[in-house]
Amino acid sequence: MGLIYLNGELVPTEDAKISVYDHGLLYGDGIFEGIRVYNGHVFNLDRHIERLFNSAKVIGLKLPLSHAEIKDAVKKTVKANDIVDPYIRLVVTRGVGNLGLDPRKCANPQIIIIVDKIQLYSEELYKKGLDTVIVPTIRNHYEALNPRVKSLNYLNNIMAKIECVNVNKDEAIMLNKDGYVAECTGDNIFIIKDSELLTPPMSAGILVGITRNEVIRLAKEMEITVREEALTRYDLYTADECFLTGTAAQIISVVTIDGRTISTGKPGEITIKLLEAYRKLIYSYTGDE
Ligand code: PMP
């Protein structure tokens, strides 16, 4: 049985409970991070905590712990759970309030750390690549709820996921309000065209993925030209390769989009090279015990 970190205590999963008056539940009012551990090292922990603090700042939530204290809590929870290469879900809710929206009624943000396994896509899909669809639901407008905030309100993404499930596809690609490619429901998107790596810029209204940034860095190291620029459906359909990135998914190939086969219909050569480089990076990482 796993142990969950809940406001400073490690408690068995069945005792890890929060109030039905928590605004995290009532309104999706809170923030989170998804983090991975490889060979006992928490991968890019500082960057995740930095992003958490930025999300907190934007939604006006004052975290009750310092950066260093949250890091310690994460590492302590990983140690308390004996799982090989686990996934960490770090959640901060606004806390208990009343039935109104006013966040001033919520005095105590709740900090929850879950350490568990995750598998977003089957092994078979990693080999074969994903069949995807561009869905009608657009990504949140950045002046409504900026996708850079990793908020507990994921309904925008869930709507997109439903639209992809309804047509029996593996993943949904979301456009932004201007019709340009944004991202997927829980991953960033890249294409390869004429040996260059292209991905939507931050201004497209996306979560700025930590994996995305690592892949950009690795590609530059491999002397691949990288351009962050607005992409259309046309760019996706005519790409030489396409793949998604995320902490949980790592790098996974996309082989069809709206019924158009991407190149040969098999995971591309550069995608495979980047995945190998990424796996090498994560398994040689020693940044945090
Ligand atoms: N976009 C969205 C909407 C996400 O939820 C995530 C994380 N699951 C990502 C992109 C990828 O971000 P990261 O590489 O930091 O995990």
Side-chain angles (χ1 to χ4, degrees), residues 172-244:
I173 298 171
M174 303 176 79
L175 306 179
N176 65 19
K177 62 160 176 71
D178 299 315
Y180 290 108
V181 178
E183 59 181 334
C184 295
T185 61
D187 293 312
N188 291 114
I189 187 162
F190 286 82
I191 58 168
I192 305 279
K193 185 70 187 173
D194 299 331
S195 304
E196 292 185 347
L197 184 62
L198 307 176
T199 195
M202 216 147 58
S203 58
I206 57 170
L207 181 80
V208 183
I210 289 167
T211 319
R212 171 188 184 274
N213 292 347
E214 288 289 16
V215 165
I216 290 174
R217 196 178 55 73
L218 287 171
K220 286 179 179 165
E221 265 177 35
M222 291 158 70
E223 297 188 340
I224 298 169
T225 303
V226 181
R227 285 193 285 130
E228 293 176 56
E229 65 177 39
L231 300 176
T232 61
R233 286 167 193 270
Y234 181 97
D235 296 315
L236 296 191
Y237 295 157
T238 59
D240 298 330
E241 300 182 27
C242 180
F243 64 86
L244 313 183

